[in-house]
Amino acid sequence: MTKKYLQILSHYDLDENPVEATPFGNGHINDTLKITTASGTAKYILQRINHHIFTDVEMLQNNIRIVTSHIRKKLEERNETDIDRKVLAFQPAKNGKQYYYDGENYWRVCLMIPNSKSLEEVNPELSYEAGKAFGDFQSMLADIPEGTLGETIPNFHHMEFRLQQFHDALKANAAGRLDGVKDMVDEIEKRAEAMCIQEKLYREGKLRKRINHCDTKVNNILFDNHSGKVLCVIDLDTVMPGYVLSDIGDFIRTGANAGAEDDPDLDNVNVNLDIFKAYTRGYMETAKSFLTPLEISLLPYGGRLLTYMQTVRFFTDYINGDTYYKIRHPEHNLQRTKAQFKLLQSLEEHAGEMDGFMKEWL
């Protein structure tokens, strides 16, 4: 297989000769390989872009080019040092494009950031650093004019769209599963109007679209191997226009959950308020300068919204017969639905405290 990957790399002008390709990381969407050069150095990352999910590769890579160039410019204006380790650098193919198409698959190459690591653990200290990193990421991109970037996954965090998919699934009942889950249908329906606030506010001109990362997990940040300090935010495929609630909301949903996303024991699933507060403090430290008071007040609601949205998405897939998410057993999507709903209930129980926490910045 290395020969195949080396043939793909021959379509790039690289500073060093690649000699070996080995699987790298634990991403679920793209295939990622670490490329070692003749000097024995792991110098490049080669990725096969999943064009079934990211259907407009030209737009995807153009987004990434704009974002990385913008961040590099901001870092230079700050007189930052070691900039090459603080922003990803993708290599153009010999044809001038930001990717190479071999007739079947799309490939891209970026420089590997040396002496860096990603982490999987979540604790208050790390959550604080993650909040600062993602807040700074959004802050650096806040002056990109609306309309500059495209949506790499259209309607990705659009609640009204996700509810329309849900209602379509209910009408079709393709897998014949509705009879046993009507209680969950009722729970989703009674929250639906309250969970479409961001779209309503946008139409009223009270909420604007901003550039978001849309996948704010701790493992999408690189840290320095020696100092442990944040280097840069990675995994830029879902960087696109949306509402500011997405990035803090998705971290609350994933990082501040005391249980697993598909935890079979619902007693494990509750919001960890220490994680929420630590992430929010870090986030506000770097993001407050561009946020409006309305956005700040809505940030905890973002956690409820993204958790509700994922409940709806898992449940919709269950009703449809498991056509989107990979499952490990026939009831896996229902198990995910119940776990996400339990987290939503916990977030609702603590909504007063979480909303009140934001008063410090208002």
Side-chain angles (χ1 to χ4, degrees), residues 119 121-137 216-219 221 223 228-231 233 247-248 251-252 255-256 272-288 357 360-361:
L119 302 172
E121 65 176 304
V122 178
N123 57 43
E125 293 75 23
L126 194 55
S127 297
Y128 171 75
E129 295 299 332
K132 284 202 300 183
F134 284 119
D136 191 40
F137 179 83
T216 48
K217 297 180 177 65
V218 168
N219 60 10
I221 300 170
F223 296 82
K229 292 183 178 179
V230 169
L231 289 174
V233 170
D247 280 6
I248 193 165
F251 189 90
I252 293 170
N272 183 322
L273 291 177
D274 290 336
I275 297 289
F276 158 72
K277 290 177 179 179
Y279 182 89
T280 302
R281 285 194 184 282
Y283 181 79
M284 291 304 298
E285 191 173 307
T286 51
K288 186 180 186 300
F357 184 69
E360 179 178 334
W361 293 280

Side-chain angles (χ1 to χ4, degrees), residues 1 12 34 107 139 153 170 185-186 190 208 221 241-242 244 246 258 279 315 326 333 344 348:
M1 292 298 288
Y12 290 82
K34 177 175 63 177
W107 303 87
S139 181
I153 304 178
L170 295 183
V185 173
D186 292 341
K190 74 183 185 182
R208 60 168 291 184
I221 300 170
V244 75
S246 288
Y279 182 89
F315 192 49
K326 292 180 181 178
N333 271 322
L344 175 62
E348 290 171 342

Side-chain angles (χ1 to χ4, degrees), residues 55-326:
T55 56
D56 190 338
V57 174
E58 186 83 37
M59 181 252 281
L60 169 73
Q61 290 302 107
N62 187 55
N63 275 10
I64 291 174
R65 179 188 60 80
I66 293 170
V67 166
T68 53
S69 298
H70 200 81
I71 290 174
R72 183 173 289 274
K73 181 183 176 183
K74 293 288 185 179
L75 294 173
E76 290 170 350
E77 290 172 354
R78 292 180 184 176
N79 294 316
E80 293 263 1
T81 59
D82 208 10
I83 289 177
D84 287 339
R85 297 177 70 222
K86 294 178 180 177
V87 60
L88 294 178
F90 286 82
Q91 309 298 290
K94 290 179 180 178
N95 61 12
K97 292 185 176 292
Q98 300 295 309
Y99 60 87
Y100 167 68
Y101 180 59
D102 66 5
E104 293 183 3
N105 294 298
Y106 295 83
W107 303 87
R108 65 185 173 200
V109 174
C110 74
L111 293 177
M112 193 166 185
I113 295 180
N115 300 312
S116 66
K117 61 185 176 182
S118 62
L119 302 172
E120 299 291 337
E121 65 176 304
V122 178
N123 57 43
E125 293 75 23
L126 194 55
S127 297
Y128 171 75
E129 295 299 332
K132 284 202 300 183
F134 284 119
D136 191 40
F137 179 83
Q138 279 189 308
S139 181
M140 286 190 284
L141 302 178
D143 59 346
I144 293 180
E146 187 169 337
T148 303
L149 302 188
E151 290 188 50
T152 57
I153 304 178
N155 298 311
F156 186 47
H157 283 167
H158 194 292
M159 193 63 249
E160 291 176 342
F161 173 75
R162 295 303 183 186
L163 282 169
Q164 184 58 57
Q165 289 182 314
F166 168 65
H167 291 139
D168 291 344
L170 295 183
K171 289 177 186 176
N173 193 18
R177 289 173 165 175
L178 263 181
D179 285 345
V181 292
K182 288 184 178 177
D183 286 351
M184 184 59 69
V185 173
D186 292 341
E187 294 287 0
I188 287 172
E189 293 285 22
K190 74 183 185 182
R191 291 169 170 82
E193 184 177 354
M195 289 299 173
C196 293
I197 290 174
Q198 62 180 2
E199 290 86 10
K200 180 176 180 289
L201 290 173
Y202 178 72
R203 286 191 291 269
E204 293 172 352
K206 298 175 182 176
L207 198 64
R208 60 168 291 184
K209 287 192 176 181
R210 300 192 181 277
I211 306 304
N212 302 305
H213 186 274
C214 295
D215 192 13
T216 48
K217 297 180 177 65
V218 168
N219 60 10
N220 282 332
I221 300 170
L222 289 183
F223 296 82
D224 184 87
N225 275 340
H226 305 298
S227 69
K229 292 183 178 179
V230 169
L231 289 174
C232 71
V233 170
I234 60 171
D235 197 356
L236 307 180
D237 290 334
T238 55
V239 176
M240 56 183 157
Y243 306 104
V244 75
L245 311 183
S246 288
D247 280 6
I248 193 165
D250 208 31
F251 189 90
I252 293 170
R253 184 187 75 81
T254 56
N257 184 357
E261 185 177 70
D262 60 350
D263 209 310
D265 186 350
L266 298 183
D267 288 339
N268 294 333
V269 180
N270 290 289
V271 60
N272 183 322
L273 291 177
D274 290 336
I275 297 289
F276 158 72
K277 290 177 179 179
Y279 182 89
T280 302
R281 285 194 184 282
Y283 181 79
M284 291 304 298
E285 191 173 307
T286 51
K288 186 180 186 300
S289 61
F290 71 87
L291 295 173
T292 67
L294 176 61
E295 287 173 322
I296 293 171
S297 68
L298 285 173
L299 290 178
Y301 165 81
R304 303 192 289 276
L305 171 62
L306 269 291
T307 305
Y308 173 80
M309 187 181 299
Q310 198 57 53
T311 303
V312 171
R313 293 185 66 192
F314 283 144
F315 192 49
T316 298
D317 200 34
Y318 177 74
I319 297 300
N320 283 334
D322 312 310
T323 60
Y324 185 83
Y325 293 104
K326 292 180 181 178

